[in-house]
Amino acid sequence: MIAAIERSYPQREIADASYRYQMAVDRKEKIIVGVNEFTGEEKPIEVLQIGESVRASQIERLRKVRADRSSDDVNRRLAALRKAAQGDENLMPHIYEAVKSYATLGEICAALRDVFGTYEEVAVT
């Protein structure tokens, strides 16, 4: 399977199947109620607008959490998470411990990114 992924075979098959499906929908060979058949009148969607005060409030809450927590404990838990990620341990207990020490989602993701890196999908042509 790894060789197939390296050659983008699964991505290409998914892209081809998606294209065929969409073409069938567009030609109305495949009917989707509310999408290409039996559509009613469209009502405008209300978009939730969040004010700048909410953003400022959240930033202040984050600053307070970071000031009140034990940075040593957070760093120790994140280091344990990194070490576990390098092996084959279940990461959930380590993530749970990091959360209990008030590590942020961004800090936990960064710790995992340090070990696993980021995946960049190759464009299928």
Side-chain angles (χ1 to χ4, degrees):
M1 185 65 180
I2 293 173
I5 292 171
E6 288 172 348
R7 291 187 196 100
S8 300
Y9 177 76
Q11 293 93 330
R12 192 170 31 259
E13 287 297 309
I14 291 168
D16 291 346
S18 298
Y19 177 76
R20 287 191 303 272
Y21 179 86
Q22 189 60 50
M23 292 305 294
V25 170
D26 291 346
R27 289 190 297 257
K28 294 191 177 184
E29 294 168 1
K30 180 158 193 65
I31 301 299
I32 302 174
V33 175
V35 174
N36 64 350
E37 198 63 46
F38 308 107
T39 57
E41 64 182 68
E42 290 187 29
K43 296 177 184 170
I45 298 172
E46 285 188 41
V47 177
L48 176 63
Q49 299 292 330
I50 297 176
E52 186 63 28
S53 64
V54 174
R55 178 178 174 275
S57 169
Q58 287 296 93
I59 289 172
E60 185 54 40
R61 287 178 62 198
L62 180 59
R63 281 191 189 122
K64 182 169 176 15
V65 165
R66 285 184 170 165
D68 293 347
R69 71 185 184 182
S70 167
S71 294
D72 292 337
D73 192 33
V74 170
N75 291 333
R76 190 173 62 255
R77 306 292 175 131
L78 292 174
L81 175 61
R82 280 188 199 91
K83 184 177 180 188
Q86 291 169 349
D88 60 355
E89 282 186 65
N90 180 354
L91 298 182
M92 283 309 297
H94 297 283
I95 293 171
Y96 182 65
E97 290 300 318
V99 169
K100 285 191 339 186
S101 69
Y102 292 95
T104 65
L105 177 61
E107 291 167 331
I108 293 169
C109 289
L112 294 173
R113 203 175 303 114
D114 289 345
V115 177
F116 298 119
T118 56
Y119 175 73
E120 298 291 331
E121 185 174 357
V122 178
V124 178
T125 56

